[in-house]
Amino acid sequence: MKKWGKIFALVAAVLLVLSVAAFAQPKHWVVGFSQIGSEREWRTADTISVQNAFLEDPTFTLIYSDAQQRQENQIKAIRSFIARRVNAILFTALVETGYGPVLQEAKRAGIPVVMIDRDVAKEDRGLRLTIMGSDFIKEGEKAGEWLADYLKKKGLDDGKKAINIVELQGTTGSAPAIERKTGFANVLKSHANWKITRSQTGNFTSSEGKQVMEAFLKADKNIDVLYAHNDQMALGAIQAIKEAGLKPGKDIIIVGVDAVKGAFEAMVAGEMNASIECSPLLGPQAVLAMRDLRDGKKLPARIYTIEGIFDETNAAEALPTRQY
Ligand code: GYE
């Protein structure tokens, strides 16, 4: 009997330890991540940042889905996350509109949706919990403000002579294309002599950026500034400018967005003038948000990333430290 008593006490102790451990361990969560594709280094850095951050926390399993730049693939992916009853969904919207019905389905299933990088349209924002990433309007404004300072510093803008600007827009209908355009236009309003002479999409890729810039130059070489919604398109445009016999960064002032390594190399070579930082390293903040959500904490309505501006004055110094 004595022996049975001891065994009983031991089993009880083991059970107690196990239950305390189970209690202390956060519940395991499965998170579905619908990414738009893998257009270039920015997106790759973003995907890897998210995947690594979740890998580092064994209390999460991330299911990754690459939509290959097709909205219908994203809608399918979100439906499959709902069918698998994931605990939460991380979602980068390729374009702003068209996701209302699938977001309704997630809401009905009680699965929270957290946007990362690109948001959905205003009318659908009530269907997702929050958005983390960059302020694209501010990026457009920073590009415009940087340009105003630069033109002034170089004595190139007397407020009267026309400053002809061409714009390479990002993917049509995407949040960064819409908002980077809006932000830049906000600054344009206070410069009566600045004119956007041409504006077209280059779909955020260097090949399309190059093609569109070629067409711009063919139509009219009288271009003072190129504002590109991302560096990738600016880098493609630089090729087109060189092929047209002009000097990028000198004959045409070039401002991009993202601050990818290629832009730093171009700035150091004097072929590009500025890049507004847009960080793709969103993984750690995505994991933090998911932990808070799991712990029942309320997430803020917007989670912003802190970012800077790089140009000829600080590009060389920053280049060795760049992670993307
Ligand atoms: O600027 C661009 C990429 O959504 C902010 O997507 C992102 C943009 C980024 O293709 O390079």
Side-chain angles (χ1 to χ4, degrees):
M1 269 299 103
K2 226 174 148 194
K3 186 175 138 207
W4 285 114
K6 266 191 190 156
I7 290 174
F8 180 75
L10 194 71
V11 170
V14 167
L15 282 178
L16 186 73
V17 168
L18 285 179
S19 61
V20 167
F23 209 71
Q25 267 298 315
K27 205 176 136 240
H28 188 90
W29 258 32
V30 177
V31 175
F33 174 27
S34 171
Q35 175 63 290
I36 63 169
S38 50
E39 60 278 26
R40 259 317 263 271
E41 52 191 322
W42 192 98
R43 187 67 48 198
T44 309
D46 174 46
T47 301
I48 291 175
S49 169
V50 173
Q51 287 175 327
N52 284 350
F54 279 94
L55 269 180
E56 275 166 26
D57 186 336
T59 69
F60 285 102
T61 298
L62 186 78
I63 311 172
Y64 171 67
S65 173
D66 175 345
Q68 299 181 339
Q69 311 289 334
R70 298 176 73 121
Q71 181 169 44
E72 63 266 35
N73 290 346
Q74 289 207 288
I75 294 171
K76 262 191 227 150
I78 295 172
R79 291 221 164 99
S80 89
F81 294 153
I82 298 170
R84 289 172 79 154
R85 305 217 51 79
V86 298
N87 297 93
I89 293 172
L90 266 183
F91 175 32
T92 302
L94 177 66
V95 290
E96 285 195 338
T97 54
Y99 297 99
V102 77
L103 290 177
Q104 287 280 7
E105 290 167 35
K107 192 159 198 174
R108 251 180 271 127
I111 301 172
V113 176
V114 171
M115 305 306 296
I116 178 164
D117 172 29
R118 296 189 190 178
D119 210 350
V120 286
K122 266 204 190 83
E123 57 269 29
D124 293 331
R125 290 184 191 161
L127 298 168
R128 85 325 181 239
L129 209 56
T130 182
I131 163 92
M132 66 182 70
S134 308
D135 183 335
F136 303 136
I137 294 191
K138 203 164 253 158
E139 287 170 353
E141 289 172 346
K142 282 184 189 171
E145 281 153 11
W146 177 89
L147 181 64
D149 281 354
Y150 186 80
L151 291 173
K152 200 167 154 204
K153 217 167 60 193
K154 300 273 171 185
L156 294 170
D157 188 0
D158 60 7
K160 287 183 212 89
K161 195 184 114 269
I163 302 288
N164 294 332
I165 304 170
V166 295
E167 180 181 35
L168 282 171
Q169 298 180 35
T171 301
T172 306
S174 70
I178 296 168
E179 296 182 351
R180 286 173 186 165
K181 187 168 188 32
T182 305
F184 193 79
N186 288 346
V187 178
L188 206 92
K189 276 181 215 148
S190 43
H191 297 270
N193 60 324
W194 290 18
K195 290 195 176 58
I196 298 203
T197 51
R198 277 165 221 280
S199 179
Q200 210 176 300
T201 182
N203 207 20
F204 279 135
T205 65
S206 54
S207 57
E208 285 174 69
K210 180 170 188 264
Q211 273 169 30
V212 177
M213 191 68 196
E214 273 165 9
F216 284 171
L217 287 162
K218 216 177 244 165
D220 178 11
K221 281 217 172 69
N222 192 8
I223 300 170
D224 301 304
V225 178
L226 162 65
Y227 166 46
H229 289 187
N230 80 347
D231 291 337
Q232 219 58 61
M233 293 187 293
L235 294 173
I238 287 174
Q239 293 309 317
I241 294 169
K242 283 187 186 166
E243 284 167 22
L246 295 170
K247 285 199 183 73
K250 300 202 173 60
D251 295 328
I252 299 178
I253 298 164
I254 303 174
V255 190
V257 184
D258 278 354
V260 295
K261 266 203 188 119
F264 278 83
E265 283 154 7
M267 286 191 280
V268 171
E271 295 184 340
M272 184 165 167
N273 307 81
S275 182
I276 310 304
E277 186 178 30
C278 175
S279 176
L281 308 175
L282 304 176
Q285 71 188 40
V287 170
L288 282 181
M290 286 298 163
R291 276 192 208 135
D292 283 349
L293 199 58
R294 182 171 58 187
D295 293 346
K297 291 187 195 150
K298 196 171 175 304
L299 298 184
R302 244 219 102 126
I303 306 167
Y304 283 119
T305 317
I306 298 162
E307 291 150 333
I309 300 176
F310 297 94
D311 64 11
E312 298 147 322
T313 64
N314 56 359
E317 195 190 328
L319 177 56
T321 67
R322 298 302 294 168
Q323 289 182 63
Y324 61 95

